[in-house]
Amino acid sequence: MTTQIAPAVAELAPVPPQPASTRKRRDGRAAVLYLLPAGVLLVGLMAYPLYQLVQISFYDYNQAQASGAAPLVFLGIDNYAELFSDDQFWSVLLATVLFAAVCVVGSLLVGTGLAVLASRVRAVPRMLLFLAALGAWATPAMAGSYVWLFLFDRDFGLVNEILGTHGHSWTFGQLSTFGLVAAEVIWASFPFVMVTMYAGIKGIPGEVVEAAQLDGASWWRTATQVILPILKPLIVIATIQSIIWDFKIFTQIYVMTNGGGVAGRNLVLNVYAYQKAFAGEEYGKGATIGVVMTVLLMLITVLYLRAQRRSGWQS
């Protein structure tokens, strides 16, 4: 009888908790298995084009070489040396970084603000707000660019009619042009941030906010010390996505500035690479700019993630 009871008692005995390191390793393996199919697909789609891009950047690859009329000439790092010694490249790089920063910050502020608003209004206004946001999100970049150009047209634009500035050109000055394009990019990008932040806000337990309010915390303190830390992982995701999207903007700049603005005053790196590769038929130099852009995006993402990890944003 004793021998029959012992196994049953052993089964009912509480299982000792696993160490945190063991749970972390198990969760890490599970995450890798979940991400493996998408990772294989991304490698298959991106590995060879990236290899070709890097390879072309080391050659004198122009229209003659592309058509087979002339042999390829290996240049080594000469394309990179020439690019880094070009003053126009550094001015375009600075403009790209500043433009992307404005678009990222604007998208985060507008999207987060509207997400907070959506969480506080009733169902019908919230539905209308989401429909308007998703309409902006679903609009193709080229169509949206032409709509904004028409709204700000110097002769027939609605904005000039409302402001009484008939005949004013919003796409002539460098700053006004960049500002107009940035406004269009933010308009098209904030819905992603809005939906992401709204989902995070709705996922916060009401008891947490109520406890903070019962402790006498003000609205600002509750938002910055209770809600914001919970939303920080989502903010990191939205920021990285926005950096990647806004750093490699092409369509909006190309359409709204007619290829880079007057005398190339509104060039960004993507348009600059296009001009070098296709307008100038210097595919090797265009590929070099593409490689530099890829490396910069990877560095920015890694540095941003490390900074957030050190400050505890991913706790």
Side-chain angles (χ1 to χ4, degrees):
M1 186 69 176
T2 306
T3 56
Q4 294 177 355
I5 296 175
V9 173
E11 290 180 1
L12 296 174
V15 179
Q18 295 181 344
S21 59
T22 303
R23 293 198 305 270
K24 187 176 292 186
R25 285 196 299 269
R26 184 184 62 190
D27 294 342
R29 287 194 294 269
V32 170
L33 290 176
Y34 280 120
L35 294 174
L36 187 60
V40 171
L41 181 62
L42 285 175
V43 169
L45 291 175
M46 297 181 63
Y48 183 71
L50 283 174
Y51 165 74
Q52 285 284 72
L53 187 72
V54 174
Q55 185 182 39
I56 292 173
S57 69
F58 292 118
Y59 285 88
D60 180 18
Y61 196 84
N62 301 324
Q63 183 60 36
Q65 286 78 17
S67 63
L72 289 174
V73 178
F74 182 75
L75 299 177
I77 62 171
D78 287 356
N79 281 332
Y80 293 90
E82 183 177 350
L83 180 67
F84 293 144
S85 63
D86 186 1
D87 293 336
Q88 186 182 17
F89 165 75
W90 293 107
S91 63
V92 172
L93 176 60
L94 177 61
T96 304
V97 171
L98 294 177
F99 174 78
V102 171
C103 293
V104 170
V105 173
S107 300
L108 290 174
L109 291 178
V110 174
T112 304
L114 290 177
V116 173
L117 176 64
S119 66
R120 293 177 175 269
V121 299
R122 295 182 181 273
V124 174
R126 181 168 60 248
M127 181 187 66
L128 295 176
L129 179 60
F130 271 101
L131 287 176
L134 292 178
W137 174 256
T139 303
M142 183 169 291
S145 300
Y146 278 114
V147 168
W148 276 71
L149 280 178
F150 183 75
L151 289 174
F152 286 84
D153 185 79
R154 60 178 299 174
D155 297 318
F156 307 104
L158 179 63
V159 175
N160 278 340
E161 290 291 335
I162 294 175
L163 297 179
T165 55
H166 185 74
H168 175 71
S169 176
W170 295 87
T171 57
F172 181 77
Q174 183 181 24
L175 291 179
S176 64
T177 304
F178 269 130
L180 178 60
V181 179
E184 196 277 339
V185 172
I186 293 170
W187 171 79
S189 302
F190 84 84
F192 169 77
V193 180
M194 175 183 167
V195 173
T196 303
M197 293 298 108
Y198 177 79
I201 292 172
K202 298 302 289 184
I204 298 175
E207 297 81 3
V208 175
V209 179
E210 290 178 3
Q213 293 174 348
L214 290 175
D215 289 339
S218 62
W219 177 86
W220 176 254
R221 192 169 182 180
T222 302
T224 55
Q225 298 188 13
V226 178
I227 298 177
L228 188 60
I230 299 175
L231 295 179
K232 281 176 181 178
L234 294 178
I235 295 175
V236 171
I237 294 173
T239 303
I240 293 174
Q241 292 280 10
S242 298
I243 289 173
I244 294 173
W245 289 337
D246 297 339
F247 193 82
K248 58 186 183 67
I249 285 291
F250 174 82
T251 303
Q252 291 88 336
I253 285 284
Y254 191 83
V255 171
M256 299 180 72
T257 66
N258 195 22
V262 180
R265 292 185 299 181
N266 294 105
L267 285 174
V268 293
L269 282 178
N270 244 352
V271 180
Y272 185 52
Y274 176 85
Q275 287 189 351
K276 287 289 185 182
F278 297 100
E281 296 183 351
E282 296 176 312
Y283 304 118
K285 293 180 180 178
T288 303
I289 300 172
V291 172
V292 171
M293 285 184 60
T294 303
V295 172
L296 284 175
L297 278 174
M298 294 176 64
L299 286 175
I300 292 171
T301 303
V302 170
L303 292 175
Y304 182 79
L305 288 175
R306 290 186 61 184
Q308 301 309 319
R309 188 176 293 112
R310 288 177 181 175
S311 63
W313 276 47
Q314 291 182 310
S315 58

